[in-house]
Amino acid sequence: MGYYLYIVRTESGKPRPIPKDELGQALARMNGKLAVLPGSEGAQLYMPALGEERDVIVCEDEELWAKNPGEPLAEAMIALAAQLGARVRNDDFETLRSLDDSYVHPDDRAERDAAIAAARQPRTLLGGRKVATGVKLLFLGVVLVTALVRHFQGAS
């Protein structure tokens, strides 16, 4: 599993997509700090200053995200989000003002609380299903072995 950062834009708790034309305008205002990765047909952004060490921002269905971004790309994402009237959010539903400063945005509170509640749920039901499946498979195995033994004893 990786660590993800997302550029999100919400209004009254509802997501607002980031269209490609608006993204292109924001990139133009960033003076080359971020650019469309050649050959990606606009599906990925990269930092030309990093050369071959390419972390990328994926542009997919009017959403922007990066997996395991290094500090330079994370800072560039914060700058891009500012150009878009958006914000950068991590896996813990924290919005980043900078790499050292985060907060929980009001639009993310309910989703964050639900994720925390789900993580606290006891896993006994899942464990119980595994035990039940194991017992069923064991029973099936015993029935199969018994049938095979009877078949071969009858063939003798």
Side-chain angles (χ1 to χ4, degrees):
M1 191 168 135
Y3 174 74
Y4 290 84
L5 287 181
Y6 308 87
I7 295 178
V8 297
R9 188 165 54 182
T10 57
E11 187 174 299
S12 301
K14 305 272 190 235
R16 283 186 36 223
I18 300 169
K20 286 193 180 210
D21 62 333
E22 194 174 335
L23 177 59
Q25 293 167 8
L27 290 173
R29 290 189 300 269
M30 292 187 69
N31 299 320
K33 186 172 188 172
L34 285 170
V36 174
L37 184 66
S40 74
E41 297 176 17
Q44 295 180 338
L45 307 176
Y46 80 113
M47 293 182 68
L50 293 181
E52 292 302 311
E53 289 184 43
R54 291 188 182 159
D55 281 341
V56 296
I57 300 170
V58 177
C59 309
E60 163 178 273
D61 298 326
E62 298 183 331
E63 294 180 352
L64 307 168
W65 57 269
K67 182 178 180 180
N68 300 322
E71 286 186 10
L73 188 66
E75 288 173 339
M77 289 179 76
I78 293 169
L80 177 59
Q83 292 290 328
L84 292 165
R87 58 196 167 86
V88 175
R89 184 176 70 192
N90 65 19
D91 290 332
D92 297 324
F93 299 96
E94 296 171 332
T95 293
L96 306 179
R97 287 186 186 104
S98 69
L99 296 182
D100 301 320
D101 185 18
S102 65
Y103 68 99
V104 178
H105 190 278
D107 287 349
D108 298 331
R109 284 197 195 284
E111 197 172 357
R112 182 176 193 241
D113 291 347
I116 290 170
R120 290 183 180 161
Q121 289 294 322
R123 306 227 186 261
T124 56
L125 182 61
L126 179 62
R129 287 182 184 166
K130 287 181 179 179
V131 170
T133 301
V135 169
K136 289 177 187 175
L137 287 173
L138 180 62
F139 178 74
L140 182 61
V142 169
V143 169
L144 181 62
V145 168
T146 303
L148 287 171
V149 167
R150 285 186 180 174
H151 174 75
F152 286 109
Q153 283 179 345
S156 301

